[in-house]
């Protein structure tokens, strides 16, 4: 199939490379010239494991090209819309300007029967509006949400847990003839994963759009649930990691996404739950999502709590204290610092008078661009030089494996805050450290 991918960010670049590796003829389009130049050279414009290999492989075969000119999308059978939908400044709503701009600029190049597949996370109702806008072109819109996780994006795209197609439907809720044809086209695009037995859920537009935000809201709720339990554990001396293990053995609950700590961040979960609340309000059903407000508050409280913990271990004040923050990315195996809990806590402590040095295996450049006033170091030991307290904020493997004795020679005071509950408290305490964590005695 000939495929175009509009928007080559964390989602689109991976999708383009993955589609080419499945044997399709792909053109990736982005307005950012630097990004396109990097991708053309087979370089990933951000850190994502396995993406460079996939880009090189697909690029070498000549099946993957990149362009800044939307006219190059002309002739593709399927056009995937993969642009961002960030939170509007000062509002909960999603900013749809990139979606609108990309669909608007694509329209003149569409042929009747082309399939436009929306992948961006949008408020329910957007697909219906875009379908109307595209009607004069004769192209068919399908909503095909994406569930990839950063850090596992290549694996998640090539071997997804499920595929969802939201098709245009008639008055009886059945796919229209055009919708059925579009489904056949997508089946061909995804022939490999479908052949591997990936479940396919075919729905109407509204359901497909809701599936995505419902999934992210559920994940956010799971994380905030365990973080709320962490607050209870802190009040009672209980251990939230053991609690999570114990409830997680119940298959109905499951242990995944029950890791208490600094909470969720990134370019998706926080803004998606807020946009979902905003949309529910517009639809007159805000009560249905009232709990997400609480999910958001529990999550944000964790960041405040860790600053309080730092103050506590530093005998009541962090003013003038040296703090080493291990991790800047919102999660390991990513260089993404969008709404990163690690960076937000680092910045808070710096604003409150501490001297904060941040390190991260991949995200220093992005972190520096966002918070130039922080200090940066390339390794954990370097960041910890003279530190009064060390905070593990993003659980990169190399921080999980840190040797308490090796770090001890760098710091001024052996105090460690485990913001992700990944260190062995007994080992750190045995090495003479004051160990504190979120939701653990
Ligand atoms: C999330 C979803 O997991 C993907 O399915 C979805 O496709 C994606 O958003 C999106 O909408 O594009 P992602 O933002 O890459 O993926 O990151 P997650 O792995 O979901 O982690 C989100 C945050 O939750 C991170 O800050 C992580 O540290 C935190 N987290 C995760 C916890 O605090 N505890 C956990 O147990 C798990």
């Amino acid at each position: 199939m000939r495929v175009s991918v509009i928007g080559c960010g964390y989602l689109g670049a991976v999708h383009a490379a993955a589609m080419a590796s499945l044997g399709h003829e792909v053109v990736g389009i982005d307005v950012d010239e630097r990004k396109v130049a990097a991708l053309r050279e087979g370089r990933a414009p951000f850190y994502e494991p396995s993406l460079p290999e996939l880009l090189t492989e697909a690029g070498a075969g000549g099946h993957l090209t990149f362009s800044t000119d939307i006219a190059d999308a002309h002739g593709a059978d399927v056009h995937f819309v993969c642009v961002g939908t960030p939170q509007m400044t000062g509002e909960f709503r999603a900013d749809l300007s990139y979606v609108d701009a990309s669909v608007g600029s694509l329209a003149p190049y569409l042929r009747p029967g082309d399939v436009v597949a929306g992948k961006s996370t949008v408020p329910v109702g957007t697909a219906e509006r875009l379908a109307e806008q595209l009607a004069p072109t004769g192209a068919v819109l399908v909503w095909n949400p994406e569930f990839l996780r950063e850090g596992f994006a290549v694996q998640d795209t090539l071997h997804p847990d499920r595929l969802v197609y939201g098709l245009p439907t008639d008055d009886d809720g059945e796919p229209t003839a055009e919708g059925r044809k579009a489904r056949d086209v997508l089946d061909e695009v995804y022939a490999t994963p479908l052949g591997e037995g990936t479940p396919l859920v075919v729905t109407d537009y509204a359901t497909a759009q809701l599936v995505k935000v419902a999934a992210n809201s559920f994940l956010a709720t799971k994380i905030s649930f365990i973080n709320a339990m962490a607050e209870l554990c802190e009040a009672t001396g209980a251990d939230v990691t053991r609690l999570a293990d114990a409830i997680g053995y119940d298959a109905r609950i499951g242990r995944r996404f029950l890791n208490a700590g600094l909470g969720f961040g990134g370019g998706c979960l926080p803004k998606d739950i807020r946009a979902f609340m905003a949309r529910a309000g517009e639809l007159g059903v805000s009560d249905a999502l009232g709990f997400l407000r609480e999910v958001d508050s529990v999550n944000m409280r964790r960041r405040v709590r860790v600053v309080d913990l730092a103050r506590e271990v530093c005998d009541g004040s962090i003013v003038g204290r040296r703090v080493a923050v291990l991790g800047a990315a919102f999660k390991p195996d990513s260089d993404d610092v969008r709404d990163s809990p690690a960076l937000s806590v680092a910045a808070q402590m710096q604003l409150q008078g501490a001297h904060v040095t941040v390190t991260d295996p991949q995200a220093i450049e992005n972190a520096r661009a966002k918070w130039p006033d922080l200090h940066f170091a390339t390794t954990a030991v370097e960041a910890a030089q003279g530190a009064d307290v060390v905070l593990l904020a993003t659980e990169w493997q190399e921080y999980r494996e840190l040797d308490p004795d090796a770090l001890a020679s760098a710091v001024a005071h052996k105090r460690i805050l485990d913001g992700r509950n990944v260190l062995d408290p007994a080992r750190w305490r045995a090495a003479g450290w004051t160990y504190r964590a979120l939701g653990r005695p």
Side-chain angles (χ1 to χ4, degrees):
M1 303 292 283
R2 283 166 306 168
V3 169
S4 88
V5 176
I6 321 295
C8 292
Y10 287 95
L11 162 59
V14 176
H15 193 68
M19 291 302 106
S21 87
L22 291 178
H24 304 301
E25 203 66 44
V26 181
V27 57
I29 302 198
D30 201 290
V31 290
D32 184 337
E33 287 181 10
R34 270 189 351 161
K35 209 178 268 176
V36 167
L39 287 163
R40 274 185 179 149
E41 289 168 17
R43 281 188 292 115
F46 48 84
Y47 179 76
E48 180 62 46
S50 310
L51 180 58
E53 293 81 354
L54 204 65
L55 283 171
T56 316
E57 204 180 287
H63 301 300
L64 179 60
T65 54
F66 291 95
S67 169
T68 50
D69 187 358
I70 190 80
D72 289 332
H74 181 71
D77 307 295
V78 189
H79 307 268
F80 287 101
V81 177
C82 295
V83 295
T85 51
Q87 188 177 337
M88 292 269 239
T89 315
E91 287 184 56
F92 271 19
R93 277 187 307 144
D95 177 357
L96 294 178
S97 58
Y98 302 106
V99 171
D100 288 335
S102 59
V103 171
S105 62
L106 177 64
Y109 301 102
L110 293 171
R111 304 163 305 171
D114 278 4
V115 174
V116 176
K119 281 207 157 294
S120 306
T121 302
V122 293
V124 58
T126 307
E128 292 79 348
R129 178 170 64 73
L130 295 176
E132 246 173 63
Q133 191 183 328
L134 289 174
T137 68
V140 191
L141 182 78
V142 172
W143 213 258
N144 176 220
E146 178 56 56
F147 305 99
L148 67 79
R149 298 159 297 168
E150 287 177 31
F152 299 91
V154 170
Q155 158 78 14
D156 286 352
T157 308
L158 290 173
H159 310 285
D161 288 341
R162 76 299 212 184
L163 286 163
V164 176
Y165 303 168
L167 302 180
T169 42
D170 60 23
D171 292 342
D172 298 327
E174 293 302 322
T176 59
E178 276 186 324
R180 288 196 299 272
K181 270 197 229 155
R183 176 194 168 149
D184 292 342
V185 172
L186 280 192
D187 280 351
E188 211 171 321
V189 169
Y190 292 122
T192 308
L194 289 171
E196 287 171 357
T198 302
L200 169 64
V201 183
V202 178
T203 73
D204 50 75
Y205 283 154
T207 309
Q209 293 164 90
L210 281 173
V211 165
K212 172 64 197 241
V213 278
N216 275 2
S217 298
F218 191 86
L219 294 171
T221 303
K222 219 176 160 185
I223 299 168
S224 277
F225 174 82
I226 202 65
N227 280 331
M229 293 306 110
E231 292 189 16
L232 267 296
C233 289
E234 282 157 19
T236 54
D239 183 337
V240 74
T241 64
R242 304 304 293 148
L243 182 145
D245 291 343
I247 64 171
Y249 281 119
D250 184 332
R252 293 170 302 173
I253 297 172
R255 179 64 177 83
R256 294 175 74 189
F257 267 66
L258 277 187
N259 296 318
L262 260 176
F264 59 83
C268 302
L269 264 43
K271 65 106 175 149
D272 284 354
I273 61 168
R274 292 174 193 150
F276 200 14
M277 284 187 265
R279 186 65 185 130
E282 289 166 4
L283 293 166
V285 286
S286 52
D287 285 354
L289 298 187
F291 71 97
L292 286 180
R293 198 170 284 277
E294 213 43 59
V295 165
D296 204 0
S297 314
V298 170
N299 192 52
M300 299 312 280
R301 276 207 297 274
R302 295 287 78 189
R303 303 182 187 187
V304 177
R305 171 71 184 144
V306 97
V307 178
D308 288 344
L309 260 186
R311 199 174 288 113
E312 233 175 277
V313 298
C314 288
D315 309 319
S317 172
I318 54 170
V319 177
R321 300 304 177 99
R322 298 184 85 91
V323 183
V325 176
L326 311 185
F330 84 104
K331 67 185 236 184
D333 298 312
S334 172
D335 65 357
D336 194 348
V337 298
R338 286 177 294 171
D339 200 0
S340 163
L343 205 50
S344 139
V345 165
Q348 252 324 302
M349 291 199 282
Q350 173 97 355
L351 289 169
Q352 292 183 26
H355 178 284
V356 180
T357 305
V358 179
T359 185
D360 190 284
Q362 295 293 338
I364 292 180
E365 216 178 295
N366 287 343
R368 198 197 304 273
K370 200 152 202 168
W371 288 100
D373 290 346
L374 290 167
H375 306 268
F376 293 93
T378 44
T379 65
V381 170
E382 202 186 307
Q385 286 305 322
D388 294 297
V389 55
V390 177
L391 164 66
L392 191 161
T394 312
E395 69 278 30
W396 287 89
Q397 193 59 32
E398 64 183 81
Y399 303 152
R400 289 167 172 262
E401 290 167 0
L402 272 176
D403 176 2
D405 291 320
L407 207 60
S409 51
V411 298
H413 293 278
K414 291 198 270 181
R415 300 164 177 148
I416 182 118
L417 305 180
D418 183 359
R420 292 292 178 180
N421 285 319
V422 290
L423 301 175
D424 175 3
R427 183 166 174 233
W428 284 76
R429 286 184 180 132
W433 288 74
T434 299
Y435 170 95
R436 297 293 299 272
L438 295 166
R440 258 173 153 181

